Amino acid sequence: MSIRVLLSVEFCVTHKTYLKGAPFYNAWDTVKNQKTMGKIFSAMDWFLGGVGLVTLGLGAIGIINIMLVAVSERTREIGLRKALGATRRNILFQFFLEGAFLTVLSGGIGVGGAMLIIRLLSGVQLPQGFDSPKIVPVSAVGAVLSLALAGIAAGLYPARKAAMLEPVEALRQE
């Protein structure tokens, strides 16, 4: 037995603080506590992953809306390009490229902002037991690529809508 357990048993016996049939000491189960902490962190990972997916989905909806507005505002331009010989593939590629550019640019701005905040936090004295935040490059690249894929997928519907416009009808709209 360790000295701590012996002292605990001696304290309980001399001060009569124990209950009949109850153990004299309270054991600390490191394995059980580690498993509990593992479950807590796994639950946090799942929760934050879900929040990230919902945010990504909402961002894709925003991109669809922005691109649909771009298509409706540039209907005459699309009609003129098609009247001058642009194919559906050309129009599709133009809007597809715009959607991809918007998402990669916004993802880069987001990662850059996060890096700036982390740089500012690195100078702050944190309490004992807390590490300063860090950006994992693989995670940052993965976030920007997943945002770009979501943006490309979200830009396909507006791009297809623009490509399907008939030149005469597009030129007629105001």
Side-chain angles (χ1 to χ4, degrees), residues 13 17-18 28 70 96 129 136-137 140 146 158 160 162 171:
V13 169
T17 57
Y18 61 94
W28 178 267
F96 179 76
V136 180
S146 64
R160 187 173 181 280
L171 287 171

Side-chain angles (χ1 to χ4, degrees), residues 110-126 131-136:
V111 169
M115 291 174 94
L116 177 68
I117 290 171
I118 286 177
R119 173 74 75 174
L120 293 173
L121 286 177
S122 67
V124 175
Q125 183 66 29
L126 297 174
D131 290 336
S132 60
K134 296 173 182 69
I135 287 188
V136 180

Side-chain angles (χ1 to χ4, degrees), residues 27-86:
W28 178 267
D29 190 354
T30 307
V31 173
K32 182 180 173 185
N33 289 336
Q34 191 270 337
K35 286 181 181 177
T36 302
M37 290 302 291
K39 288 179 183 178
I40 289 170
F41 281 109
S42 292
M44 287 174 57
D45 286 345
W46 279 100
F47 174 74
L48 293 175
V51 168
L53 286 175
V54 168
T55 304
L56 195 61
L58 292 174
I61 291 170
I63 290 169
I64 288 173
N65 287 335
I66 290 170
M67 296 304 292
L68 284 173
V69 168
V71 168
S72 66
E73 286 180 353
R74 295 165 57 189
T75 303
R76 290 183 57 87
E77 173 194 336
I78 295 166
L80 185 61
R81 286 190 64 206
K82 288 187 90 172
L84 293 174

